Every structure is written in C-alpha cells, then in structure tokens.
C-alpha cells in the first residue's frame, strides 16, 4: 500500500472504504478490552497479602510509568510503525498479567506493574493514530467520529461484560482470570497483524505529493510547537482535567456507595451498569458533533461531572446511584469529539508522538487526581470529599470559557467549529479539509 490517498468514486465508495478500515478495529476493541481481572484485581491483590497502601502504590506507579513512557513510545511508534507499537504494548501487558498470576512477591509486582505501564504507553496514541491515518489514506476521514464512537462503545461495553465474567471465573481460579485476559490480548494482536496494514510517520499521507519542502520539522517537539495554538493547549489541559475527574470518580464511587450503605452486590451491579452506560453514549458523538460541536459539549460535560460529584455529596445512596448512571456517560461523548480535534490538529508524520504527549498530560493529571480525591475522602469523608472534588471540573470549565466565548482557533488549519462539515474532504484531493502540515 502506498502513501497516497486512494481515489474514491463517491459517498457510497467512501462509506465502503470507512467500513473496510473499521471492521478489524471493532474486533480488536472487543478482544483488547476483554480484561476479566479489571473488576476484581483489588481483591486479587488483597488475597496476595498486599495492604491497601501497597495496592495504591502499585496503581500510582502504573499511571506514573505510563505517563512518563508516553512520549518515547509515541516517537518509537512514528519511527517503527503504529501497528508494531500496539503489538509490542499488548504482548508486554499480556506477559505482565501472566506474571501477576504466577508470582506473589511484592517487589516482583512492582516490576510487573512498571512493565504494564510501559505496555499501556505503547498502545496509547498509536491505536487512534493508526485508525485515523488509515482513514486518511482511504479518503474517508469524514467517518472518523462515527467509527471512533463505535470503537469506544465496543471497548467500554466489553469491559462491563468482562467485569461480570471475571467475578464468575474467579470462583474457579485466579489463573483462569489472568490467563484468559492475556489470551484475549494475544488474539487482539493477531487480528491487527493479519487485518490491519502498518503505517509509520514517514508514510504520512498529509506530507506527500511535493509538500516536502514545507515540512522540515525533524522532531515531534518542533511539530508540537508549530501546531500548539493557545486554544489547543487549553483544550489539552481541559481534557486532562476532565479525565482526572472522571476516572477517579468511577473508581472511588465504589467506596462512596459502600460508605453510604450499599452492599457489595449492589456496588458491583452499579459499576458494571456504569460501564454499559459509558459505552453506549459515545454512539451519540457523531450527532452531537454535527448539531452542537465540541466547543459547547466540553463545558456541558464538565458541568455534568461537577453535578454528579455534588449529588454524591448528599450522602443518599440512591441519589448517588442515579447520578452515576445518568451522568457518567456524557464525558465519553466529549472524549470522542476531542480525540477527533487532536487528530486533525497534528501532522501525520508525528501523530503518534504528539498524541502520546497529550496522553502524558492526561495520565499525569489522572494520577494527581487519584491522590487528591483519595486525600479528600480520607480527610472529609467519602461523600463530602466527592462534593469538594467538584471544584476540579468547575476549574476546567472556567479555563475553557474564554476559548468558547472568543471562538479562538484550536487548530492551525481550517476549522469547522462543529458543523456538519467536520472532517470533509478537499474537493479533488482526497485529503481532509482540516489542518495540514504546512
């Protein structure tokens, strides 16, 4: 396959091309998210004899290593290939999961969680960069939001199913739980290798056809400086704060519900249902992008998170349950739309590296968010701590308002501001109408 965009014969041909690109990614999403240990790994670590503090340290180390490894693994993905980076990452994660099932020494677990964090960094940024560039190559980027929303939905819903199955498999053996997760990751790798072509940064389709004189950036750092408008930097920070709110909120809701009187069975059902809700709502992303646009969806999601945290602070278990199930999915819509903006904003040659930089910011803020929310819940109680943490999404909303009101340009190229023309192709070129590396 060459680096040039294929000529397509019309809207029907574009749709066929998009579906052809998307199908293996949908299968990959199901397999890569069939992690049966995800909902019970804390119980597993407790049975290994680790204290709550030791478990917290493992989780903090996981996010810290993942964040620090984001940029170097992103650069590697641009050099050796996005698919190769995903394969390396998933195989490394699978090996670490098997190691966790085989060993019980805490120092070994520290090493395994470090390896797992590196594996996560290898996958982060490479999967969406590979998907987006394959759509660019086929002249079908107009379908990216819809495809990515389905990709996200399948992954999240599969996670919810895997959580339920993991609890059942644990009755037989922890080895089955962890070996099953590792096997699914290996199958996901096989799907990619057999069905998805490789793309490297030097194959970038937005830097072909005589444009080489304009693209002299030798490193991802220079590329980032070239595309980093103030509004884009603000969006990265705001997106990071949103994830730093949503991820700890989902995890610590388990403790909040328990402290408010919910039994273990109810907590597991609520959290699993939350995964399903968070998985289905991204299907609305394409419609939200066309009718509202990411500029408005961003503050709506942040205010929704603040409301959910505030309602959890009332100390009423059924109010907390209702707030969690109704509101937890809204930020998932925003995540899909913002991911599309990031992909449009960065040049293909450094796409994986730049997306990894963005993922680093998000990982760092998520790690800090865990520590802050945990400290608030320990000091003020779970309910009041949740309500106090609502200050974080409100701060992010305040940071975004100037961009919203001034309609500041987020990307360095033509921006659609959320209209139905998002991702439309330049007539006769087969390339996206969004930013080009110029």
């Amino acid at each position: 396959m060459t680096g040039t965009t294929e000529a397509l014969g019309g809207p029907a041909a574009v749709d066929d091309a998009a579906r052809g690109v998307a199908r293996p990614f949908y299968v990959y999403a199901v397999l890569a998210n069939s992690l049966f240990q995800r909902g019970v790994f804390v119980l597993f670590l407790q049975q290994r004899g680790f204290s709550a503090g030791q478990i917290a340290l493992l989780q903090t180390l996981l996010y810290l290593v993942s964040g620090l490894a984001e940029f170097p693994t992103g650069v590697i993905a641009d050099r050796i290939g996005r698919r190769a980076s995903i394969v390396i990452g998933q195989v490394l994660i699978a090996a670490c999961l098997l190691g966790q099932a085989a060993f019980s020494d805490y120092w070994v677990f520290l090493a395994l969680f470090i390896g797992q964090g590196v594996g996560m960094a290898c996958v982060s940024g490479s999967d969406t960069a590979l998907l987006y560039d394959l759509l660019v190559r086929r002249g079908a980027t107009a379908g990216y939001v819809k495809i990515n929303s389905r990709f996200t939905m399948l992954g999240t819903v599969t996670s919810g199913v895997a959580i339920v199955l993991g609890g059942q498999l644990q009755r037989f053996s922890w080895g089955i739980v962890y070996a099953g997760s590792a096997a699914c990751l290996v199958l996901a790798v096989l799907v990619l290798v057999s069905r998805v072509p490789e793309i490297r940064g030097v194959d970038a389709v937005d830097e072909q056809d005589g444009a080489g004189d304009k693209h002299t950036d030798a490193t991802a750092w220079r590329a980032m400086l070239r595309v980093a408008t103030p509004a884009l930097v603000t969006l990265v920070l705001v997106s990071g704060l949103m994830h730093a709110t949503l991820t700890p909120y989902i995890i610590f809701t388990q403790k909040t519900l328990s402290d408010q009187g919910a039994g273990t069975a109810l907590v597991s059902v609520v959290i699993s249902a939350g995964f399903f809700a968070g998985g289905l709502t991204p299907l609305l992303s394409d419609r939200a992008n066309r009718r509202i646009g990411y500029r408005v969806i961003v503050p709506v999601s942040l205010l929704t998170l603040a409301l959910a945290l505030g309602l959890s602070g009332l100390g009423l278990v059924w109010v907390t349950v209702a707030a969690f199930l109704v509101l937890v999915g809204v930020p998932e819509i925003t995540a899909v739309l913002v991911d599309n903006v990031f992909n449009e904003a960065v040049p293909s040659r450094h796409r994986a590296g730049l997306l990894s930089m963005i993922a680093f910011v998000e990982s760092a803020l998520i790690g800090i968010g865990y520590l802050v929310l945990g400290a608030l819940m320990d000091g003020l109680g779970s309910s009041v701590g949740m309500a106090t943490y609502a200050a974080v999404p409100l701060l992010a909303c305040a940071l975004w308002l100037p961009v919203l009101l001034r309609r500041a340009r987020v990307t360095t190229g033509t921006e659609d501001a959320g209209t139905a023309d998002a991702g439309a192709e330049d007539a006769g070129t087969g390339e996206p109408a969004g930013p080009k590396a110029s």
Side-chain angles (χ1 to χ4, degrees):
M1 183 175 286
T2 66
T4 57
T5 306
E6 299 177 11
L8 297 174
V14 171
D15 289 341
D16 289 341
R19 283 193 291 268
V21 170
R23 288 190 191 103
F25 279 91
Y26 293 157
V27 178
Y28 167 81
V30 172
L31 292 171
N33 287 278
S34 296
L35 301 177
F36 306 110
Q37 88 289 348
R38 181 173 286 173
V40 293
F41 77 95
V42 173
L43 300 178
F44 169 72
L45 296 176
Q46 287 178 336
Q47 290 191 15
R48 281 289 193 263
F50 302 154
S51 67
Q54 288 176 316
I55 295 173
L57 178 59
L58 289 174
Q59 282 296 97
T60 301
L61 183 65
L62 181 69
Y63 277 99
L64 178 62
V65 170
S66 177
L68 292 175
E70 283 287 356
F71 178 64
T73 55
V75 173
I76 291 172
D78 284 327
R79 296 288 178 87
I80 69 172
R82 283 83 191 263
R83 190 186 67 183
S85 181
I86 297 170
V87 170
I88 292 171
Q90 298 291 26
V91 170
L92 182 56
I93 294 172
C96 290
L97 292 178
L98 291 176
Q100 291 170 35
F103 298 97
S104 58
D105 185 82
Y106 187 71
W107 294 103
V108 175
F109 268 76
L110 286 173
L112 291 171
F113 269 67
I114 290 174
Q116 187 173 337
V118 174
M120 290 166 55
C122 288
V123 176
S124 175
S126 296
D127 48 4
T128 53
L130 180 61
L131 172 60
Y132 189 85
D133 273 334
L134 286 173
L135 289 172
V136 173
R137 181 173 282 184
R138 302 297 297 275
T141 52
Y144 176 74
V145 171
K146 182 181 293 185
I147 291 171
N148 194 25
S149 65
R150 292 175 179 174
F151 180 78
T152 303
M153 178 273 294
L154 287 170
T156 309
V157 170
T158 301
S159 294
V161 175
I163 287 175
V164 176
L165 292 177
Q168 300 302 315
L169 292 174
Q170 186 275 327
R171 296 181 178 181
F172 299 98
S173 167
W174 283 112
I176 294 176
V177 173
Y178 277 80
S181 298
C184 287
L185 292 179
V186 172
L187 289 175
V189 165
L190 294 177
V191 169
L192 280 185
V193 171
S194 62
R195 299 289 305 279
V196 178
E198 180 65 282
I199 285 187
R200 298 176 298 154
V202 294
D203 302 324
V205 293
D206 64 359
E207 300 190 8
Q208 303 291 330
D209 303 327
D213 293 339
K214 296 182 180 180
H215 308 298
T216 58
D217 287 339
T219 67
W221 286 108
R222 294 179 182 177
M224 175 58 84
L225 292 175
R226 179 159 51 83
V227 303
T229 64
L232 179 60
V233 173
T234 301
L235 182 59
V236 172
L237 179 59
V238 168
S239 175
L241 290 172
M242 183 186 76
H243 286 286
T245 304
L246 179 62
T247 305
Y249 167 61
I250 292 175
I251 298 302
F252 281 115
T253 292
Q254 301 173 46
K255 176 174 172 54
T256 302
L257 289 172
S258 178
D259 291 348
Q260 291 177 356
T264 302
L266 176 60
V267 171
S268 63
V269 169
V270 170
I271 299 303
S272 180
F275 270 87
F276 281 106
L280 294 175
T281 49
L283 293 176
L284 302 174
S285 299
D286 187 56
R287 180 177 298 179
N289 189 44
R290 288 184 283 108
R291 295 189 177 184
I292 303 174
Y294 71 91
R295 291 179 180 273
V296 176
I297 288 292
V298 167
V300 168
S301 294
L302 294 169
L303 293 175
T304 296
L305 279 173
L307 177 62
L309 289 164
L311 290 174
S312 298
L314 297 177
L316 304 174
V317 63
W318 290 109
V319 173
T320 301
V321 169
F324 180 77
L325 295 179
V326 173
L327 303 178
V328 74
V330 177
E332 299 290 351
I333 298 175
T334 304
V336 172
L337 300 187
V338 170
D339 177 74
N340 183 55
V341 175
F342 289 155
N343 273 287
E344 290 183 341
V346 301
S348 289
R349 183 176 298 276
H350 302 295
R351 178 163 286 130
L354 296 179
L355 293 180
S356 289
M357 287 185 188
I358 294 170
F360 163 73
V361 174
E362 293 180 351
S363 294
L365 290 175
I366 289 172
I368 295 172
Y370 268 114
L371 295 176
V372 172
L373 182 54
L376 289 173
M377 294 176 72
D378 284 341
L380 303 175
S382 58
S383 298
V384 178
M386 278 279 194
T388 305
Y389 196 64
V392 174
L394 292 178
L395 171 62
C397 190
L399 292 174
W400 183 248
L401 283 180
V403 177
L404 175 66
L405 297 177
R406 298 174 186 173
R407 298 188 63 82
R409 190 157 67 179
V410 173
T411 67
T412 55
T414 303
E415 190 171 356
D416 69 304
T419 66
D421 295 330
E425 297 165 10
D426 286 339
T429 67
E431 292 186 0
K436 297 181 178 63
S438 59

